[in-house]
Every structure is written in structure tokens, then in C-alpha cells.
Amino acid sequence: MSRTRKVITVVSFVALSAGSSIAQTPSNQVAKGPAPKASASNSTTKTTTASLVDLNTASKQALMTLPGITETNAQKIIENRPYKSKADLTQKKVISPDAYAKIEARINVKTTTRVSPGNVEKKAASSKGQSEVQKKQ
């Protein structure tokens, strides 16, 4: 090896060694040890929020994942949309109060302007009736 190559190799080695030792100074060191754990209440809240089933938009399969909700119950829930509150399930007599008690913590209701498949005919009939009333006036 030529002398120039040896010098370049030595200088490179010294520069790399110095660079790695500078990077490990106490002000630049990363804390070692286990990462702090999230509190149980935070992780539970995130899980609960993520697993809530919206009565106004959930599919039949999603509704059937709720405890005590059969295919028939899920279809009734879809057909009686929209819901303004969770309590509408028992007020409209879609499910029994016992079944409601089992799922109350796992459902929510978001108001929506979307028409669900179960109410397409109802919505069309009501809008047709309104347009005929407007024409008569």
C-alpha cells in the first residue's frame, strides 16, 4: 500500500472513532432501561373507544359481535334506524331491556344524515309526501 493510502486509512479510522465517541457524550446519550408503560386507564379508554359500535352506521356483522345480539336483532336494529340515543333501542322496542343492559357499554350513537339501507323506502315515501304537499300549496 502506498503511503498516501495508509495515511487516508488512518485518518478515516481516527475520524470515525472520534465521531462515535463524540456521539456518546452524556448530553447526547439516550436514556437506557425499559420504556415507561402507559397507565392502565389510558389504554382501557383507547380500547373502549375503538371498540364501540355505532348503531346508525354499523353493519349487520358488526352488530352481531355484541353479546346477545342475534341476526334477527341486528336486522331489527338496522330497520329501525336512525337512532338519536342508545335508549331508543328499548323505547322503539327493538330489543329487550335485558339485552340492552348487556350491550349498553359497547354501543354509541352518532347522529348522521346518511340514510341506512333499512330506511331507504321510508325516506323516499316521506320525501314524496312532502313534495306533494308543497305542490298543493
Side-chain angles (χ1 to χ4, degrees), residues 7-22:
V7 172
I8 291 174
T9 306
V10 171
V11 171
S12 300
F13 178 76
V14 171
L16 289 174
S17 298
S20 64
S21 65
I22 290 172

Side-chain angles (χ1 to χ4, degrees), residues 113-124:
T113 56
R114 180 178 153 239
V115 179
S116 66
N119 286 331
V120 171
E121 290 141 7
K122 290 180 191 176
K123 184 75 175 176

Side-chain angles (χ1 to χ4, degrees), residues 16-39:
L16 289 174
S17 298
S20 64
S21 65
I22 290 172
Q24 294 180 4
T25 60
S27 63
N28 293 335
Q29 284 184 346
V30 176
K32 294 182 180 179
K37 294 180 181 178
S39 66

Side-chain angles (χ1 to χ4, degrees), residues 8-109:
I8 291 174
T9 306
V10 171
V11 171
S12 300
F13 178 76
V14 171
L16 289 174
S17 298
S20 64
S21 65
I22 290 172
Q24 294 180 4
T25 60
S27 63
N28 293 335
Q29 284 184 346
V30 176
K32 294 182 180 179
K37 294 180 181 178
S39 66
S41 62
N42 287 345
S43 62
T44 304
T45 303
K46 290 177 185 175
T47 304
T48 304
T49 304
S51 64
L52 289 177
V53 176
D54 183 12
L55 295 177
N56 286 325
T57 60
S59 66
K60 184 188 282 190
Q61 290 78 16
L63 291 168
M64 289 172 56
T65 63
L66 297 169
I69 300 299
T70 63
E71 186 174 352
T72 305
N73 293 130
Q75 187 61 41
K76 285 182 185 178
I77 291 170
I78 291 170
E79 289 172 355
N80 285 283
R81 287 176 178 166
Y83 297 98
K84 293 180 182 176
S85 72
K86 296 191 285 186
D88 284 354
L89 285 175
T90 55
Q91 290 172 354
K92 292 181 177 184
K93 298 183 180 179
V94 177
I95 61 172
S96 69
D98 292 335
Y100 176 74
K102 290 179 187 176
I103 67 169
E104 180 180 14
R106 296 186 59 193
I107 58 173
N108 70 352
V109 174

